[in-house]
Amino acid sequence: MDPQEWELIDQALYHSMEDHAPVTLTLFDPFVDRQAHGIVMQVDRQLKRIKLRVSVDDWGWIDMSEIIAAIT
């Protein structure tokens, strides 16, 4: 991935986590790109994943390698 694009994604993830703002992530899929919408709760740089809260009681981990775009 282009380093400038990853910088934009990183900024969107940081903004979501710091301001509790929703973010929409586009995730790579070999057939059809998927989207995930929620608030970033945690960024685990060691394991290269983020914790995304999609509702009050629902969250999941997303591998950073799957993220191809992020919109706040």
Side-chain angles (χ1 to χ4, degrees), residues 5 7 11 15 17 19 21 23 25 27 34 37 42 48 51 57 62-63 65 71:
E5 183 65 28
E7 181 65 31
Q11 288 175 5
H15 172 71
M17 188 170 65
D19 297 338
V23 64
L25 305 175
L27 307 174
R34 299 174 290 133
H37 183 76
Q42 182 179 354
K48 298 181 181 177
K51 185 177 184 180
D57 297 327
I62 296 175
D63 289 331
S65 63
I71 302 168

Side-chain angles (χ1 to χ4, degrees), residues 19-31:
D19 297 338
H20 301 283
V23 64
T24 299
L25 305 175
T26 303
L27 307 174
F28 175 78
D29 185 285
F31 301 106

Side-chain angles (χ1 to χ4, degrees), residues 56-67:
V56 175
D57 297 327
D58 190 19
W59 57 270
W61 290 99
I62 296 175
D63 289 331
M64 288 183 181
S65 63
E66 294 181 46
I67 302 171

